[in-house]
Amino acid sequence: MSSLEKIPMKYLSLLILVLQNSALVLVMRQSRYSEPRYATSTAVALSEFTKLIICLFMHARDELKLKGYIQPREIFSEVFSRDAWKLMIPAGLYTLQNNLQYVAVTLLDAATFQVTYQLKILTTALCTVIILRRTLSPKKWLSLVLLTIGVILVQFRTEASSDEEKRNQRLLGLFTVVCACVISGLAGVYFEKILKGTRASLWVRNIQLSFFSLFPAIFLGVLWMDGESVRSNGFWYGYDKYTYMAIACQACGGIIVAMVVKYADNILKGFATSISIIVSSLFSVYLFDFHITFLFLVGSSLVIYSSYMYGLDDSKKPSTYQSVDTQMKNLESNDFTLKIEESRPSA
């Protein structure tokens, strides 16, 4: 028996999630660090296409195991069911969110982006309260306040900077991250609403999301937003090994999250997110000459603790069961990170 086979699945899946979360933000930043820069919309389109192929393969594999055969017509009917069109809105939102992530990681260093992006916990919680009319416990509200304070502290620099262009770039990066977090919260809550009462499998819902994401990714992103650059320089302009690694990490993120949902719980997932922030920060020092300041250390510590605190079960009873809806929402964190809602993680 190999050493990997001896590791319990919940810890193995969390280890893979930590590696994916950490690697995604680092390779995304590295891919945007060198010149010439590729068109981000092409990377988003390729990521969704890759995810579509992976989910089709996984669904076909499950069908083969369950029925002993694969019927393309049945798969087609499942994917393009009567309610499939409802996935068009979250698919569009997720596509926009993914594009904003690339823009933000271009403007911000990897560590600051990783910490600031945890604001998606706050935006998802607020969308849950406002749209779904749920209530949060005082402990969760406290964790959201600590999260906000931590993110604010991370934005401060102890060193004085006279470079107005860099300051403006940092502010634009922060604004882009906040927009991505708001869109992430809206998409997750909307996705939850339309999934109520459905019985479609994890893979079918993700096939639908990836399929509908291709339309805004290609027509609004590649052809409209970056159309001139793509026509002049080609689709693959500026691509290197780090670009392909970023695309692969983003495409595989949902599958990794599905593994974690199956074998782990909220507390362990909180640890995974926390470790990812630490790993990203340490590697940023080596790769991007990032300087860890006292305020960054305090702010990131608050973010890590508040993320863990928000993921704790108020009832203090370990969760032994998760519904299919819960698993589907977790699968769509896209992410390179998990969103945590009131009583369970969300997309």
Side-chain angles (χ1 to χ4, degrees), residues 331-346:
L331 189 58
E332 287 310 314
S333 64
N334 270 312
D335 32 139
F336 41 104
T337 45
L338 288 171
K339 290 185 274 304
I340 306 172
E341 286 188 10
E342 179 184 355
S343 59
R344 74 287 176 274
S346 165

Side-chain angles (χ1 to χ4, degrees), residues 39 74 87 125 204 208 222 267 279 287:
E74 289 183 10
L87 275 296
V204 168
Q208 293 170 334
V222 177
I267 297 175
V279 171
L287 295 175

